[in-house]
Amino acid sequence: MPFAIAVLVVVIELSPAHFLYTGPLLTATPALAAVAMGPKGTFAAAAFALAISVATATYNQAWGSQQVYTNFLALFLVSAASVTTSSAVHTQRQNELNQIRRIAVAAQRVLLRPVPDRLGPVRAASMYIAAETGAQIGGDLYEVVQTRYGVRMIVGDVRGKGLPAVRSAAAVLGAFREAVHYEDDLVEVINHCAAALRRERAMPRGIEQDAEQDQSESFVTALVAQVPDGPVVDFVNRGHLPPLVLSEGRVQAVMPASLLPPLGLEEFITGPPAKAESHPFACGDRLLLYTDGVTEARNSEKEFFALPAAMEALKDRTPPEFLEQLHQGLVRHTQGHLADDVAMILVDRLDEELDE
């Protein structure tokens, strides 16, 4: 708008209608720029208005008139006030944004805690990438805990976005962190998570919160895994993507023997009770748990990200290096535009010598 007004002044001054008094229009341009364009934009608008004033005064041979100098004085005063005000507002907004980011980082560390490098017989790393610019927390979740039953972990994806998704993720994670230490059966662990999600959905919400997302329609895809002392890994998959195991340089997706619905959709469970499924996981093998933000990432040609190939190509990297380079690969593949949140856990089964 400020630059459009300045262009309008140029048109008037260079036309037969130049007798119209356009000084107030130019004077208003830096003030309008200060509303939304920041200090640099305000300064640019003021400089543009000054250049137009000089050019039009020269073109119309108006130098020496009191009106020209009055316009210059008014433009200078308004520009100085606008740049000063815009700088102060920009500084205040930046301070508020920094405070919000600090709060978000603290909340993320509570909800999604960093995974220790070493837990019992495994070496691990985790990564979370929010698709929304500036966001720290989304609807994906993960956790890795060392227990007397082995190293237990969960990765999940909440349907939906915003605060309702964060609340659902917090409910599932809280139940998981409690149940893993007391339940010897992985199925019971994930049942606790499902019960916590049902309680969260049943809680009354305010009108403005109900408008964000219908809690009765929310669900969470989740995968719970356990690495005991033996050369196996146990899984219970509730509608989540299959984990990938890298063994002897080749990646294999561990498909569940029986399909189970996500958490929150227990009414669709039929047949016998679920059981944990085991898969070989020997020393030197690598396990990757992830959400669909990885596999559904597309490039400009709508091609999906080739996760198994990337996992094989990075087989010699340490867990933190692997996740960082995988992140960079995702950014390159999508040209920096992730469409969904990404959560990943990478676990390496250590050699027996290191276990001791």
Side-chain angles (χ1 to χ4, degrees), residues 127-186:
M127 178 173 286
Y128 183 87
I129 309 167
E132 184 177 353
T133 303
Q136 296 288 337
I137 303 173
D140 289 3
L141 59 99
Y142 69 82
E143 180 61 290
V144 181
V145 181
Q146 186 174 2
T147 72
R148 55 181 172 172
Y149 308 107
V151 177
R152 289 178 163 181
M153 60 201 83
I154 184 173
V155 65
D157 190 353
V158 183
R159 174 189 178 272
K161 300 290 184 182
L163 289 178
V166 175
R167 287 194 296 265
S168 297
V172 172
L173 281 175
F176 174 81
R177 289 166 178 163
E178 180 72 15
V180 289
H181 293 287
Y182 301 103
E183 297 291 345
D184 60 348
D185 189 349
L186 274 185

Side-chain angles (χ1 to χ4, degrees), residues 33-160:
V35 175
M37 298 183 66
K40 293 182 179 179
T42 304
F43 183 81
F48 190 44
L50 178 62
I52 291 175
S53 295
V54 173
T56 55
T58 302
Y59 179 80
N60 294 320
Q61 300 179 352
W63 289 106
S65 65
Q66 181 179 1
Q67 188 180 63
V68 170
Y69 296 114
T70 301
N71 289 343
F72 275 111
L73 178 61
L75 181 60
F76 174 78
L77 293 176
V78 172
S79 298
S82 299
V83 171
T84 302
T85 302
S86 179
S87 299
V89 171
H90 176 75
T91 300
Q92 181 181 0
R93 289 177 177 175
Q94 189 63 43
N95 291 337
E96 293 175 351
L97 180 60
N98 291 337
Q99 178 66 14
I100 292 172
R101 285 174 175 169
R102 286 193 293 268
I103 295 173
V105 169
Q108 184 191 40
R109 290 176 179 173
V110 173
L111 184 61
L112 301 175
R113 299 181 297 200
V115 174
D117 294 338
R118 174 72 185 271
L119 297 102
V122 303
R123 200 179 300 277
S126 63
M127 178 173 286
Y128 183 87
I129 309 167
E132 184 177 353
T133 303
Q136 296 288 337
I137 303 173
D140 289 3
L141 59 99
Y142 69 82
E143 180 61 290
V144 181
V145 181
Q146 186 174 2
T147 72
R148 55 181 172 172
Y149 308 107
V151 177
R152 289 178 163 181
M153 60 201 83
I154 184 173
V155 65
D157 190 353
V158 183
R159 174 189 178 272

Side-chain angles (χ1 to χ4, degrees), residues 150-236:
V151 177
R152 289 178 163 181
M153 60 201 83
I154 184 173
V155 65
D157 190 353
V158 183
R159 174 189 178 272
K161 300 290 184 182
L163 289 178
V166 175
R167 287 194 296 265
S168 297
V172 172
L173 281 175
F176 174 81
R177 289 166 178 163
E178 180 72 15
V180 289
H181 293 287
Y182 301 103
E183 297 291 345
D184 60 348
D185 189 349
L186 274 185
V187 175
E188 290 302 318
V189 172
I190 206 163
N191 286 344
H192 279 280
C193 297
L197 181 63
R198 288 195 298 271
R199 291 192 298 269
E200 168 64 25
R201 290 166 51 182
M203 291 181 62
R205 304 294 179 192
I207 296 177
E208 71 284 354
Q209 293 174 329
D210 289 338
E212 295 181 13
Q213 179 178 332
D214 186 355
Q215 290 290 306
S216 64
E217 297 180 358
S218 65
F219 60 84
V220 180
T221 65
L223 173 70
V224 175
Q226 173 180 285
V227 181
D229 292 334
V232 297
V233 57
D234 303 321
F235 298 107
V236 177

